[in-house]
Amino acid sequence: MAAALAELRTSAARAQEACGTMEIDGALIHINDLERELVEIKQTAAAGKLLPLPGESLDSSALQLGATSKTVGSSMAQLLTAAAQGNENYTGIAAKDTASALAVLTAAVRGVAACSDDRRVQDNIIDAARDVMDKSANLIEEAKKAVNNPNNPDNQQRLAQVAKAVSHALNNCVNCLPGQRDVDAAIKEISGASQALSSGEFPTTTRSFQEVQGGVNMAAVSLNQAANNVVGASRGTPQQLATSSTRYGKAYKDFLGEGLTFAGISKDRETQSQIVSGLRSVSMVSSKLLLAAKSLSTDPNAPNAKNLLSQAARAVTESINHLINICTTSAPGQKECDSALRQIQIMHNLLDNPTEPVSDASYFDCLDSVMEKSKNLGESMLGITDHAKKGELDQFCGSVKGFSGSVCALTEAAAQAAYLVGISDRASEPGKPGLVDQSQFARANQAIQMACQNLTDPASTQQQVLSAATVVAKHTSALCNVCRVASSKTSNPVAKRHFVQSAKDVANSTANLVKAIKALDSDFGDANRQKCAQAAKPLIDAVEELTTFASSPEFTSVPARISREARKAQEPILSSGKAMIDGACDMVKAAKQLAVSPNDPPTYLLYSNHSKSVSGAIKGLVAAMKESAPGQKECDDAIETMTSSIKDLDQASLAAISQSLAPRDHNTPQGFQEQMINSAKEILDRVEPVRAASKGEAEKLGHLVTSMAGYFEPLADGAVGAASKTINSKRQMAILDQTKTVAESALQFMYAAKEGGGNPKAGHTHGAIDEAADGMKEVVEDLLQTLEDAASSAGVVTNMVDSLSKSIARTDDRMALIANLSFVEYQTEMVRLAKHIARTAQDMVGKAVSNVSELGPLSNNLTHDYNDLSGNAQGAAIASSSPQVGQQIRKAVQELGNLCIDLVQDAGHLQANPTDTYSRKDLADHAKAISEKVSHVLAALQAGSRGTQACINAAHTVSGIIGDLDTTIMFATAGTLNPDGDSDNFADHRENILKTAKALVEDTKTLVAGAASDQEKLAMAAQSAVRTITRLADVVKFGAGSLGSSQPDAQVLLINAVKDVASALSELISCTKNASGKPVQDPTMAGLKDSAKVMVTNVTSLLKTVKTVEDEAARGTRALESTIEAISQELKAYNTTDKTDQKASAEDLIRHTRPITLATAKAVAAGNSCRQEDVIVAANTGRKAVFDLLGVCKAAAQNADTAEVKRRAIQSGRDCAHVYKELLDHVNTIIQKPTHENKQLLATYSKKVANSVTCIVQVAEVIKGTDWVDPDDPTVIAENELLGAANSIEAAAKKLAMLKPRRAAKEADENLNFEEQILEAAKSIAAATAALVKSASVAQKELLAQGKIGGAHLASAFEDEDGQWSQGLISAAKLVAAATHSLCEAANAMVQGQASEEKLISSAKQVASSTAQLLVACKVKADTDSVAMQRLQGAGNAVKRATEALVKAAQQAKDFADEEESLTINKRMVGGMAQIIMAQEEIIRKEKELDAARVRYAKIRKQKYQDKPVEETDALW
């Protein structure tokens, strides 16, 4: 299936490339068909035969129509963008998407028409839909023309005109829906009524000032209530929305009339201007409220729609309050209380149904906000009473405002917390993030529009203007960042360009607006305010267009769906929040009375009672939020699940130890293995998300831990099943133990995650979370490695094929570009992996012939390499210079992946049938094809960056040259590097070496300059440098050979010199590659300069070596100087990074300290003798020893358990190389000035080296750990066998403890007593023997600690006395364990009536006998007064007592049975004689059986001990 899907993916991509403009033509035909379908629908409706389809209703069809209209709009936006860019492929895709959306729109229109009884409504909506189809067809026609002629400058204008026509037609279609017309009518009514504000005339009235003022207040209350009704009705039916919209329009007209009347009464021009401005503000926010309600009723699932409606309602309340503040001149504190009351009341809607986020705050941000705002609320509540009593009314008003602000903030925090609780519940469906967060776009759009409105409002103060400018800058910056991220993530090149262009448009519009704001800030005149309004319009348009484009289904996130169970979890928070709002409203009403009569006791009592209810509600809110923290319950459930899995694994382990693990037949061994692999992979994939959620995303924690915990049951079941199908007991225990380790590490991780809880401020828990997550990843990866190795060895390739298929699919996914990673880094890694894949494929061809069993591990390696390659291909495609190169890379990697699947499947077939020649041929063919596809991948990478690809190839070639030089050094050291001819001498080669070295210096300069030039010049420079270093290595090798095999040290010196040059060139090429295209200030340029200096230094050193290599009086010194410089450079490279591809163990590290010790000795000897031949030997030996040590030290450090041990390992290697370099420096000083004092210091330097070597050995021991022992040590063997025997006995005791006496027949109830005694006695013996063997182990350790027995380090250790003693102890322990098992089986059989008492008695006596042997074996060398021996003796006595008790109980049972047995004597002569004969026959038969049993017993004893040495037999007895 996976292979078929991969092939289908490739075929679909090719088909898409071949279609071209066919998709545009197909979309056009589809739309024309839809228009004809609408004509038929209208004809059917006219005939009265249009009936709704099953399940179709007016509400559902209306909702579908509203939602689809937005989809059509976003598809149109993509179509416009793709056509304007001339992208034929994506224009076709957008046209197809548009046609598909219009088909859904047509079905929705039919549903609305069929469910409506009004013929006028039917005709209107069908005609509007036909208009949409007509305009859409025109748009696609224009898009097709634009694609065919992309250079036409009129394309953009024509497309924009047609798009506006489509948008207008869509709006008309939606406006035909029931309820929408009424909302539009209300909006028109508000707009028409607001025209009176521009006339400058005010109505006259005969009412008094107080009456008009009261009328304004009453109208304000009515309008605020009408706004609340609109918010509620938008979630109801279209009829409810229509009714509430009509009422709102009427309430607005009343409010407008009262406001204008009040303005007419006021004679102050400034007051009139302020009132008119306030009324305009109310008019604008009223229209926005109705538009938001209309949008929500059309598409209830639109992102952030409910929040936008709530914000619009709050804006209405704020505008009303602002106007009331202007109009009201009542007693101080009254209007403030009324404003606060309206603000609080409008917040109630937030808590009705919190199904979308109110803000970006996390759960713990909400909790912190509640704690903070509750303190502010308490201060405001206290301030209200204090200031009212003191008559400080200004401060009283401030406290009321603070109180209402705190209540609103608390409500928002409660609503957001309730939403997070809802989506975090396991029964809810978590949302899936899209390419962009559309709610963020909607919030930013709303905030920018409101800020621009404040900028252009004549009543805005300078502070409000600056605040609005800050809001604009904040949100436009956020939008630009979102566009940048979206551009890097999307695979759609049209969308990529559109997001980039939109970000530029928003940024440019913002810059122009900021200039206008600065001018307005300096001069608050009408002219500057008008300029500000003109500058704000392009910004609003750009943000609106970007928001529309971002609402495309391609970028849409899937919102979370809150379940019924989650709503119950929300209830405590919501009920507390609502109680707080209700109490706050009552409290504000009481405060309003308190401001008038602060000394009235009943009023104060009323206020006090309401304040208590508010305080109680807030306490309940805080308690509910703390108890309802997301993820905690899920963590507890996950912990329980994992604990249950651990128990299941423990029980399976016990059954495996006692060899009673029953085979699981519901799956095959392969099936169990695949089940484990799949479960382990899913668990591993969730470790990082759980880590992130537990540290800062509480709302995601519950879903993630539930998902992770769900895989532990199949993992444990698979482990038990796989173990049950495994014959090897050690393999059984390995599977179960490793799986149990995974479960235990996961349990630890769950505890840490629960402690963190997703709280980003709980920093003290993050360290434990990281540690647990890293530990879990490590053990899961180990388990996966074990399972995959086992699967590949068995020829099971299913999981590998699945993994390859997922990797192929992943190349099409988009990821954000990782900071500090350029195309060159991805390119370098991809080249390495691609070549490794090609090598692995060729290795598989060889193994297919020679060793089929190794194909599995090779397939596994191939799979892992391709997984890494696909991941790097993602990054390379994103970071590439052009989309075409990125697509070429993806295509090449995907084709390579398909061939890898074929190769892995061939390997699986060949492992299943090694003689299948067809599979072998297919494998060879696919391996050859893989080599070809690897070349395609390399070609695609080269197209992306030819120069850097040439550098990568050059570095690979130079690496081969260095390896070749290493081989030549080996031949030279062995004395087998001979000249080509007898007359060959070094002088013939010297000039050639010098000339080639100088040419290399020139190539180096060109290479360094190539980093700043184009890719073509860089490629030429890299290729030239490689050719020159190849010639230089060859001529140096010929020159070294001409020196003759009699001078091996001189040969090694010369080859080392050119090897240093090659190494420096390799580093220079790498630095050039990394610095390519970077500015001069980039840090990589500094690295390039440093590597160029090293290159020049090494070439100079080579020239010096060439000139002095034949001079026996100077070449030792030259070798020493060269080695010192080489070690310095190696140390610098060693300090650059801790990463290495080399593998080494702690034993390897210890082994590599010996060459350092030998090299130190040679260096000291050279320093003392000052002979050139000694010096050159010391230099060459020391160079190799230090280089090898540093490489192994870094590799071994990777095996360290902790970062501290790793650091110590790397530091110890660095210190050792450094002190050895100091030793060589001192030897060089001695050669220059061979004084006695200098030679005396050699011992000091050698001690430093010795100390550093000691440190390395100590670190190696730490890396190795304390669990490493000599497996041939007899004492270790004895301890292991003793502990094994103890475990075996414990398992037998546990098994025995689960046994129960058999149910006896009714006539033998009295026997039950004896059976219970027997079982209890057998349990006592099992427990006592377990303690005995453990005591023997402790005694053996004590003897070892006292030195009475010694650890053996040679294989011959068993020949000595301690070895014989250990063997005797082991044999005795095994006898105890075996006897105890026999005892348990006998007890079990006896109580079930399947064995006799004699067998039980015999087994008990055997336990006593083997216990005595164990005691004797332990006492041979023990101190009788030691605590361990006293415990051992006590344990032996316990065993003796237990066996005696068992024998006694069994004998009683036997005697009781004998007593109960009755014998009937036959009185007749014949019958009596027959009875006697039968008794005699039984006696004879029993005697023969007894004799035969004695003979068998003797043979067993003789056979058991006849091959053992006499000394050991004596030790046993």
Side-chain angles (χ1 to χ4, degrees):
M1 175 64 78
L5 286 173
E7 186 176 354
L8 178 61
R9 180 189 301 277
T10 305
S11 301
R14 291 174 180 169
Q16 187 176 7
E17 292 176 2
C19 284
T21 57
M22 293 174 62
E23 287 184 312
I24 300 178
D25 295 333
L28 199 56
I29 294 171
H30 193 185
I31 292 173
N32 291 330
D33 290 341
L34 292 174
E35 189 170 3
R36 285 192 291 272
E37 183 180 341
L38 285 169
V39 172
E40 294 174 0
I41 291 172
K42 185 173 182 180
Q43 292 172 353
T44 306
K49 297 180 180 180
L50 186 62
L51 301 175
L53 298 175
E56 211 169 43
S57 66
L58 182 61
D59 291 344
S60 64
S61 299
L63 288 176
Q64 187 180 33
L65 178 60
T68 308
S69 66
K70 292 186 177 181
T71 305
V72 172
S74 59
S75 299
M76 293 285 185
Q78 292 227 34
L79 179 66
L80 289 173
T81 305
Q85 294 178 8
N87 191 312
E88 181 180 342
N89 184 26
Y90 280 91
T91 301
I93 294 174
K96 182 184 67 175
D97 291 343
T98 301
S100 300
L102 288 172
V104 179
L105 181 74
T106 302
V109 167
R110 186 203 177 281
V112 172
C115 295
S116 176
D117 298 329
D118 190 340
R119 284 283 300 119
R120 187 171 56 86
V121 170
Q122 289 178 334
D123 290 342
N124 288 343
I125 196 165
I126 293 173
D127 290 341
R130 289 179 62 192
D131 189 40
V132 170
M133 300 302 162
D134 181 57
K135 299 298 189 294
S136 299
N138 293 339
L139 176 61
I140 292 181
E141 288 281 5
E142 291 296 332
K144 185 177 179 181
K145 292 177 183 177
V147 168
N148 293 332
N149 187 14
N151 298 321
N152 189 339
D154 298 332
N155 285 344
Q156 194 75 33
Q157 184 177 0
R158 283 206 312 270
L159 286 171
Q161 290 174 351
V162 179
K164 285 182 180 178
V166 175
S167 179
H168 182 68
L170 277 172
N171 288 334
N172 289 339
C173 185
V174 173
N175 289 339
C176 293
L177 290 173
Q180 301 294 311
R181 295 188 302 274
D182 299 277
V183 177
D184 287 336
I187 294 173
K188 289 178 183 178
E189 186 178 5
I190 290 172
S191 178
S194 301
Q195 297 299 321
L197 297 173
S198 304
S199 64
E201 298 178 358
F202 304 102
T204 58
T205 182
T206 57
R207 291 183 293 168
S208 66
F209 181 86
Q210 287 76 13
E211 290 175 339
V212 174
Q213 189 181 58
V216 170
N217 285 328
M218 292 296 294
V221 172
S222 299
L223 185 62
N224 195 62
Q225 185 59 45
N228 271 328
N229 293 338
V230 169
V231 173
S234 62
R235 303 189 184 101
T237 64
Q239 290 75 15
Q240 290 174 333
L241 179 61
T243 303
S244 62
S245 300
T246 303
R247 288 177 181 172
Y248 186 85
K250 183 177 182 304
Y252 172 77
K253 286 181 68 177
D254 294 343
F255 181 74
L256 179 66
E258 293 291 343
L260 288 174
T261 302
F262 187 86
I265 292 178
S266 175
K267 303 303 181 184
D268 184 17
R269 290 289 181 185
E270 184 177 353
T271 302
Q272 288 179 343
S273 176
Q274 289 179 349
I275 291 173
V276 170
S277 175
L279 289 171
R280 282 200 180 106
S281 177
V282 173
S283 172
M284 185 179 65
V285 295
S286 296
S287 298
K288 286 188 175 180
L289 172 67
L290 293 176
L291 287 172
K294 178 181 175 181
S295 176
L296 179 62
S297 66
T298 303
D299 185 9
N301 296 321
N304 212 43
K306 294 176 183 176
N307 286 337
L308 292 177
L309 179 62
S310 299
Q311 290 171 8
R314 291 174 66 183
V316 169
T317 301
E318 290 169 0
S319 298
I320 293 172
N321 288 343
H322 176 67
L323 186 61
I324 294 299
N325 288 337
I326 298 171
C327 298
T328 304
T329 56
S330 58
Q334 299 301 297
K335 63 181 179 181
E336 285 79 5
C337 289
D338 289 337
S339 297
L341 190 59
R342 284 189 289 270
Q343 283 181 336
I344 295 171
Q345 286 174 340
I346 203 69
M347 297 299 294
H348 201 285
N349 290 311
L350 281 179
L351 299 176
D352 285 342
N353 189 18
T355 56
E356 38 179 62
V358 178
S359 64
D360 295 327
S362 68
Y363 188 83
F364 290 96
D365 290 337
C366 294
L367 183 58
D368 291 342
S369 176
V370 167
M371 300 296 288
E372 180 185 354
K373 295 301 179 182
S374 61
K375 292 179 182 178
N376 297 341
L377 187 70
E379 293 173 359
S380 299
M381 291 164 64
L382 185 62
I384 289 173
T385 55
D386 288 347
H387 296 311
K389 286 181 179 180
K390 296 176 181 178
E392 300 170 345
L393 295 179
D394 289 340
Q395 290 86 341
F396 172 85
C397 295
S399 296
V400 170
K401 289 180 180 178
F403 176 80
S404 64
S406 296
V407 171
C408 291
L410 283 167
T411 306
E412 285 187 351
Q416 176 70 4
Y419 166 76
L420 295 175
V421 167
I423 65 169
S424 66
D425 190 89
R426 76 182 74 187
S428 298
E429 295 181 19
K432 296 179 181 177
L435 184 68
V436 296
D437 183 359
Q438 294 179 340
S439 61
Q440 183 180 2
F441 276 84
R443 286 196 295 269
N445 189 8
Q446 178 79 1
I448 291 171
Q449 286 189 9
M450 294 298 294
C452 290
Q453 174 193 334
N454 291 336
L455 287 173
T456 57
D457 188 354
S460 298
T461 64
Q462 188 172 11
Q463 184 61 37
Q464 288 174 325
V465 168
L466 293 177
S467 176
T470 303
V471 171
V472 168
K474 172 187 172 184
H475 285 283
T476 53
S477 175
L479 284 179
C480 290
N481 287 331
V482 170
C483 288
R484 179 181 58 80
V485 173
S487 174
S488 67
K489 286 183 177 180
T490 180
S491 60
N492 185 339
V494 174
K496 184 187 292 286
R497 292 181 186 175
H498 193 282
F499 278 120
V500 172
Q501 187 60 45
S502 297
K504 290 180 181 178
D505 293 343
V506 170
N508 293 334
S509 302
T510 304
N512 295 333
L513 180 59
V514 168
K515 290 180 183 177
I517 291 172
K518 288 181 179 178
L520 180 62
D521 185 44
S522 60
D523 181 11
F524 251 63
D526 292 337
N528 286 334
R529 195 178 292 277
Q530 186 64 29
K531 290 179 181 178
C532 219
Q534 292 174 356
K537 191 174 185 309
L539 175 62
I540 293 173
D541 292 341
V543 173
E544 188 70 39
E545 188 273 335
L546 176 60
T547 304
T548 302
F549 182 77
S551 64
S552 169
E554 180 182 350
F555 316 131
T556 305
S557 59
V558 178
R561 296 186 181 275
I562 298 178
S563 64
R564 292 181 180 178
E565 293 81 354
R567 295 187 191 280
K568 292 179 182 177
Q570 290 177 326
E571 191 55 37
I573 296 176
L574 296 178
S575 59
S576 298
K578 291 175 181 177
M580 176 189 68
I581 289 178
D582 294 339
C585 290
D586 293 335
M587 187 174 161
V588 170
K589 293 175 183 176
K592 185 177 180 181
Q593 299 177 21
L594 196 63
V596 177
S597 52
N599 297 319
D600 183 24
T603 303
Y604 183 81
L605 180 61
L606 181 65
Y607 176 85
S608 178
N609 290 334
H610 291 315
S611 66
K612 287 180 182 178
S613 66
V614 171
S615 299
I618 292 175
K619 289 179 182 178
L621 176 63
V622 172
M625 289 182 68
K626 287 183 177 179
E627 291 175 2
S628 303
Q632 294 298 301
K633 185 175 182 300
E634 288 79 4
C635 284
D636 289 335
D637 293 341
I639 288 170
E640 184 178 345
T641 299
M642 292 170 187
T643 304
S644 175
S645 298
I646 292 172
K647 288 180 180 177
D648 293 342
L649 292 168
D650 281 336
Q651 291 177 358
S653 298
L654 287 173
I657 290 173
S658 60
Q659 299 182 351
S660 61
L661 183 60
R664 302 282 180 96
D665 296 328
H666 62 275
N667 208 338
T668 63
Q670 177 182 339
F672 284 124
Q673 203 170 51
E674 290 181 1
Q675 180 177 324
M676 289 185 69
I677 291 175
N678 292 333
S679 299
K681 283 182 178 179
E682 295 295 338
I683 290 169
L684 183 62
D685 290 343
R686 283 158 177 76
V687 173
E688 285 302 326
V690 171
R691 184 210 298 256
S694 60
K695 291 165 68 175
E697 297 172 336
E699 62 276 8
K700 297 181 181 178
L701 182 60
H703 291 289
L704 288 170
V705 298
T706 301
S707 175
M708 176 185 280
Y711 288 101
F712 274 91
E713 185 177 348
L715 178 66
D717 179 70
V720 175
S724 71
K725 294 285 187 177
T726 303
I727 299 174
N728 189 320
S729 59
K730 289 185 178 179
R731 176 69 182 150
Q732 281 184 335
M733 293 307 301
I735 294 172
L736 295 172
D737 287 345
Q738 205 165 3
T739 309
K740 182 182 173 184
T741 302
V742 169
E744 289 173 341
S745 65
L747 185 64
Q748 189 67 29
F749 186 32
M750 283 300 104
Y751 279 119
K754 182 185 177 185
E755 183 70 19
N759 187 356
K761 296 181 181 179
H764 62 283
T765 65
H766 294 175
I769 292 171
D770 288 333
E771 183 179 350
D774 292 339
M776 183 175 176
K777 283 181 68 176
E778 183 179 350
V779 297
V780 175
E781 286 169 354
D782 289 344
L783 176 63
L784 272 174
Q785 186 65 45
T786 302
L787 293 172
E788 288 174 353
D789 290 345
S792 59
S793 299
V796 179
V797 298
T798 308
N799 286 289
M800 286 184 274
V801 171
D802 288 343
S803 179
L804 287 168
S805 300
K806 289 178 181 178
S807 298
I808 293 172
R810 188 174 59 180
T811 56
D812 283 331
D813 296 340
R814 288 302 182 273
M815 66 178 189
L817 194 61
I818 301 175
N820 303 324
L821 280 184
S822 64
F823 179 82
V824 175
E825 278 84 5
Y826 291 117
Q827 184 184 29
T828 305
E829 186 64 11
M830 284 186 69
V831 170
R832 183 187 71 80
L833 290 167
K835 290 182 176 180
H836 197 254
I837 287 172
R839 284 196 300 271
T840 304
Q842 294 306 314
D843 289 344
M844 291 176 71
V845 174
K847 298 301 180 184
V849 178
S850 60
N851 191 354
V852 176
S853 62
E854 292 188 23
L855 286 176
L858 287 173
S859 299
N860 212 2
N861 294 338
L862 182 76
T863 303
H864 288 305
D865 287 338
Y866 184 80
N867 290 344
D868 294 340
L869 180 70
S870 65
N872 282 280
Q874 281 182 281
I878 294 294
S880 60
S881 56
S882 70
Q884 290 76 18
V885 172
Q887 186 59 31
Q888 188 178 352
I889 291 172
R890 287 193 189 93
K891 183 178 178 182
V893 172
Q894 287 174 353
E895 291 177 350
L896 176 61
N898 291 329
L899 283 171
C900 288
I901 289 176
D902 293 336
L903 186 66
V904 167
Q905 288 177 331
D906 293 337
H909 296 155
L910 201 56
Q911 283 179 282
N913 187 6
T915 60
D916 187 353
T917 56
Y918 294 103
S919 295
R920 187 177 291 111
K921 182 179 182 302
D922 289 344
L923 187 143
D925 292 342
H926 287 134
K928 183 178 179 181
I930 280 178
S931 299
E932 182 182 345
K933 291 301 179 185
V934 165
S935 66
H936 292 178
V937 172
L938 298 180
L941 292 171
Q942 185 167 347
S945 184
R946 183 171 182 270
T948 54
Q949 183 63 39
C951 287
I952 294 170
N953 295 337
H956 182 71
T957 304
V958 173
S959 177
I961 293 172
I962 294 171
D964 183 49
L965 290 172
D966 282 330
T967 305
T968 307
I969 289 173
M970 291 173 59
F971 282 114
T973 305
T976 57
L977 187 63
N978 298 312
D980 289 344
D982 296 337
S983 60
D984 195 13
N985 59 67
F986 186 73
D988 298 334
H989 301 281
R990 182 184 293 111
E991 189 63 29
N992 201 7
I993 294 173
L994 296 178
K995 186 190 302 182
T996 310
K998 290 178 182 177
L1000 183 62
V1001 172
E1002 295 301 319
D1003 287 338
T1004 300
K1005 294 178 182 177
T1006 308
L1007 184 63
V1008 173
S1013 59
D1014 58 29
Q1015 292 289 308
E1016 191 65 33
K1017 291 181 180 178
L1018 177 60
M1020 293 174 62
Q1023 292 164 358
S1024 177
V1026 168
R1027 287 194 295 269
T1028 306
I1029 189 64
T1030 303
R1031 290 201 307 273
L1032 181 62
D1034 290 339
V1035 296
V1036 169
K1037 284 193 289 185
F1038 289 138
S1042 68
L1043 291 173
S1045 57
S1046 60
Q1047 303 183 65
D1049 295 324
Q1051 290 178 326
V1052 172
L1053 169 63
L1054 188 60
I1055 299 170
N1056 271 332
V1058 75
K1059 180 186 170 186
D1060 290 341
V1061 173
S1063 299
L1065 179 62
S1066 178
E1067 181 62 24
L1068 178 64
I1069 290 172
S1070 178
C1071 291
T1072 305
K1073 175 194 67 177
N1074 294 332
S1076 175
K1078 302 286 179 65
V1080 180
Q1081 299 81 8
D1082 195 274
T1084 55
M1085 283 296 183
L1088 177 61
K1089 292 177 183 178
D1090 292 340
S1091 62
K1093 291 178 182 177
V1094 172
M1095 180 69 187
V1096 173
T1097 301
N1098 287 359
V1099 172
T1100 305
S1101 177
L1102 172 64
L1103 297 177
K1104 290 180 181 179
T1105 302
V1106 169
K1107 292 177 181 178
T1108 60
V1109 71
E1110 289 185 304
D1111 185 1
E1112 296 182 358
R1115 65 187 180 191
T1117 305
R1118 176 88 281 277
L1120 193 60
E1121 292 172 350
S1122 176
T1123 298
I1124 292 171
E1125 178 63 27
I1127 292 175
S1128 298
Q1129 293 177 12
E1130 187 67 17
L1131 273 173
K1132 186 176 180 181
Y1134 182 82
N1135 294 331
T1136 304
T1137 178
D1138 293 343
K1139 296 180 179 179
T1140 179
D1141 293 332
Q1142 188 177 347
K1143 303 292 184 184
S1145 63
E1147 288 77 8
D1148 294 329
L1149 181 56
I1150 295 174
R1151 195 178 302 117
H1152 277 76
T1153 58
R1154 181 172 176 77
I1156 287 288
T1157 305
L1158 296 176
T1160 303
K1162 290 184 179 181
V1164 172
N1168 286 322
S1169 67
C1170 293
R1171 295 170 58 203
Q1172 289 293 312
E1173 53 268 31
D1174 292 341
V1175 173
I1176 193 171
V1177 169
N1180 291 339
T1181 305
R1183 172 198 282 254
K1184 185 175 188 318
V1186 170
F1187 279 33
D1188 290 346
L1189 177 69
L1190 289 177
V1192 171
C1193 197
K1194 189 178 289 186
Q1198 308 304 316
N1199 300 324
D1201 292 333
T1202 64
E1204 175 61 22
V1205 175
K1206 181 179 179 180
R1207 185 197 63 77
R1208 283 179 55 194
I1210 293 175
Q1211 183 63 38
S1212 63
R1214 183 185 298 116
D1215 294 342
C1216 184
H1218 183 71
V1219 296
Y1220 186 80
K1221 176 178 167 292
E1222 289 179 348
L1223 172 63
L1224 293 184
D1225 282 331
H1226 189 66
V1227 171
N1228 194 23
T1229 302
I1230 292 174
I1231 293 172
Q1232 307 300 328
K1233 297 175 65 177
T1235 63
H1236 179 71
E1237 291 78 7
N1238 284 337
K1239 292 184 178 181
Q1240 288 293 321
L1241 291 174
L1242 283 172
T1244 303
Y1245 285 104
S1246 64
K1247 285 181 181 178
K1248 287 184 179 180
V1249 177
N1251 291 336
S1252 66
V1253 169
T1254 303
C1255 291
I1256 291 176
V1257 173
Q1258 290 173 349
V1259 172
E1261 292 290 343
V1262 174
I1263 294 174
K1264 186 170 67 171
T1266 58
D1267 293 336
W1268 295 72
V1269 293
D1270 183 0
D1272 295 329
D1273 190 342
T1275 57
V1276 173
I1277 296 172
E1279 181 178 358
N1280 289 339
E1281 292 291 349
L1282 285 169
L1283 293 176
N1287 291 335
S1288 180
I1289 291 167
E1290 284 181 351
K1294 288 179 181 178
K1295 180 180 177 183
L1296 191 60
M1298 292 187 291
L1299 299 177
K1300 293 182 180 179
R1302 63 183 173 86
R1303 287 187 180 177
K1306 291 183 179 179
E1307 62 271 17
D1309 286 345
E1310 55 270 35
N1311 285 348
L1312 190 60
N1313 235 359
F1314 292 103
E1315 292 175 350
E1316 289 180 347
Q1317 289 179 20
I1318 289 166
L1319 283 178
E1320 288 302 319
K1323 291 176 186 177
S1324 299
I1325 291 176
T1329 49
L1332 173 66
V1333 176
K1334 287 183 179 179
S1335 299
S1337 177
V1338 173
Q1340 188 254 355
K1341 286 183 179 178
E1342 186 179 272
L1343 293 175
L1344 181 62
Q1346 292 172 354
K1348 294 186 178 181
I1349 58 173
H1353 301 284
L1354 299 172
S1356 60
F1358 280 105
E1359 302 297 329
D1360 62 13
E1361 182 183 352
D1362 290 343
Q1364 294 171 8
W1365 176 86
S1366 297
Q1367 280 290 80
L1369 186 62
I1370 292 167
S1371 298
K1374 287 181 176 179
L1375 284 173
V1376 172
T1380 306
H1381 272 290
S1382 299
L1383 172 68
C1384 294
E1385 294 297 332
N1388 183 23
M1390 179 182 168
V1391 296
Q1392 294 181 2
Q1394 299 172 0
S1396 64
E1397 291 83 351
E1398 287 83 356
K1399 183 177 180 180
L1400 181 62
I1401 293 170
S1402 176
S1403 299
K1405 289 182 177 179
Q1406 185 61 39
V1407 171
S1409 174
S1410 57
T1411 300
Q1413 293 178 31
L1414 180 60
L1415 290 173
V1416 170
C1418 285
K1419 289 179 180 178
V1420 171
K1421 295 189 176 186
D1423 182 2
T1424 55
D1425 296 330
S1426 69
V1427 176
M1429 280 309 300
Q1430 290 176 1
R1431 288 202 303 267
L1432 181 63
Q1433 187 63 50
N1437 292 336
V1439 173
K1440 183 180 178 183
R1441 287 193 298 271
T1443 53
E1444 288 175 353
L1446 179 62
V1447 171
K1448 183 177 179 182
Q1451 192 62 52
Q1452 285 178 354
K1454 183 176 181 301
D1455 293 344
F1456 180 81
D1458 291 342
E1459 290 175 6
E1460 289 294 317
E1461 187 178 333
S1462 59
L1463 181 63
T1464 303
I1465 303 298
N1466 197 325
K1467 301 294 185 180
R1468 296 183 181 183
M1469 182 175 181
V1470 176
M1473 183 62 69
Q1475 198 172 25
I1476 292 171
I1477 292 171
M1478 289 173 65
Q1480 290 174 345
E1481 179 189 2
E1482 187 175 0
I1483 291 170
I1484 295 170
R1485 186 172 66 252
K1486 295 291 186 183
E1487 287 176 348
K1488 286 182 179 181
E1489 289 177 0
L1490 179 60
D1491 293 338
R1494 284 174 176 164
V1495 170
R1496 283 198 306 273
Y1497 179 73
K1499 286 182 179 180
I1500 290 171
R1501 302 289 292 183
K1502 183 177 180 182
Q1503 186 68 28
K1504 188 171 184 179
Y1505 295 106
Q1506 68 179 359
D1507 295 330
K1508 292 187 179 288
V1510 177
E1511 295 86 348
E1512 183 181 335
T1513 307
D1514 294 341
L1516 286 173
W1517 297 102

